[in-house]
Amino acid sequence: MTDQRSYIPEHVAIIMDGNGRWASQRGLPRFEGHRRGVEALRRTITAAEDLGIRFLTVYSFSSENWRRPVTEIAELMGLLRRFIRNDLADLHARNVRIRVIGVNDGLSADIIALLDEAEKLTSANTGLTFVVAFNYGSRREIADAFRSIACEIADGSLAPADITEELIASRLNTVDIPDPDLVVRTSGEQRLSNFLLWQSSYSELVFSPVLWPDFGQDALMAAIDAYRVRDRRFGGLSAAIGGSR
Ligand code: FPP
């Protein structure tokens, strides 16, 4: 029998979508969908640890989410605050390393401090790396990388010929994090919505019909099952007809 773990992706990235629809289907306020979304996140982190996934990235707050009503933004910020305050010690005890990607612009000082604290406390942990994309947008990330490279070219410390894919990757927020093998979007929507655009160049995309608050081990396993039957060729030939991958 094939070893199931050998098919487990190293890095799974998730666009957590459908909180609002989950709530409206039940006649509940959108906030209740987000609140239950935090519970789904807890289940998914545990499932990722159990499966031996090395990196789990979640899209928690996008640069575009600032367009939502101020009350909903405040609720999402409140959930992040509570999540870190309630769960940080336990995640640390479980050897989870937390990384945060995104920008600080627009975030309140206490949120920035909590995110910093989570990263610092867990930086030496060796278990699951849990990457929180918060106030994150891929185009902004790429623009920031280009600006840093342009500054170095302007001051003469870098030449245009030095610009390689590796150099660009090293200037992204995800430096030292492998590209996702699998990107999952829940709720049946089929878009990347400015999430890890550079990093997902060769990722398998799986669109789960499950609304995020209902997500957990079973839905994660279903996404991984869909990933396993894909033939990842990275632009080369299929292994079935003689390619190396
Ligand atoms: C998308 O659902 C989800 C979000 C915009 C936020 C995701 C946030 C959480 C799961 C909870 C908070 C996270 C942390 C880190 C504590 P939607 O509101 O767009 O759903 P809809 O498309 O059905 O309206």
Side-chain angles (χ1 to χ4, degrees):
M1 202 175 122
T2 317
D3 174 13
Q4 191 168 309
R5 288 179 83 91
S6 68
Y7 288 94
I8 297 298
E10 182 185 28
H11 182 177
V12 177
I14 305 183
I15 302 173
M16 308 182 287
D17 197 7
N19 295 348
R21 274 162 286 167
W22 183 94
S24 72
Q25 283 173 7
R26 290 161 178 77
L28 297 168
R30 289 177 63 78
F31 171 69
E32 193 53 26
H34 295 315
R35 197 185 66 74
R36 294 290 289 262
V38 178
E39 290 172 19
L41 179 59
R42 291 193 180 103
R43 288 194 297 273
T44 305
I45 295 171
T46 303
E49 290 177 285
D50 291 348
L51 287 168
I53 290 167
R54 300 296 304 152
F55 294 83
L56 173 71
T57 300
V58 295
Y59 207 6
S60 298
F61 190 87
S62 77
S63 355
E64 289 71 31
N65 286 156
W66 291 109
R67 296 184 196 141
R68 295 190 176 212
V70 282
T71 48
E72 185 170 346
I73 293 171
E75 286 166 354
L76 288 168
M77 295 292 162
L79 284 176
L80 177 81
R81 263 186 207 103
R82 252 170 285 157
F83 175 73
I84 295 182
R85 287 188 188 134
N86 291 338
D87 292 50
L88 179 58
D90 181 48
L91 291 170
H92 182 44
R94 279 152 58 187
N95 199 23
V96 172
R97 179 172 66 134
I98 298 176
R99 278 277 299 268
V100 181
I101 58 172
V103 294
N104 286 339
D105 306 5
L107 296 180
S108 63
D110 75 304
I111 294 267
I112 295 170
L114 279 171
L115 292 172
D116 280 352
E117 181 194 343
E119 281 197 297
K120 286 206 181 86
L121 178 71
T122 62
S123 63
N125 289 348
T126 54
L128 173 76
T129 298
F130 173 49
V131 185
V132 184
F134 200 82
N135 201 16
Y136 173 84
S138 209
R139 288 183 175 183
R140 165 74 187 268
E141 178 190 34
I142 292 169
D144 287 347
F146 282 13
R147 192 175 315 102
S148 96
I149 291 169
C151 287
E152 288 182 39
I153 289 178
D155 74 18
S157 56
L158 206 63
D162 296 329
I163 301 176
T164 59
E165 292 181 19
E166 291 72 25
L167 180 82
I168 294 170
S170 76
R171 302 305 171 93
L172 299 176
N173 297 172
T174 48
V175 58
D176 298 330
I177 297 172
D179 289 342
D181 304 288
L182 167 61
V183 175
V184 181
R185 183 173 188 144
T186 61
S187 87
E189 302 290 338
Q190 303 193 0
R191 294 184 294 285
L192 283 177
S193 299
N194 206 14
F195 183 55
L196 300 178
L197 299 183
W198 173 279
Q199 299 86 341
S200 64
S201 295
Y202 288 101
S203 305
E204 294 296 334
L205 308 181
V206 171
F207 300 104
S208 165
V210 174
L211 300 176
W212 177 253
D214 289 329
F215 205 84
Q217 185 173 28
D218 290 351
L220 179 62
M221 212 46 236
I224 291 172
D225 282 342
Y227 161 86
R228 285 151 70 151
V229 297
R230 307 268 178 94
D231 178 13
R232 300 189 77 202
R233 280 176 285 167
F234 297 91
L237 291 177
S238 164
I241 54 170
S244 59
R245 304 193 86 139

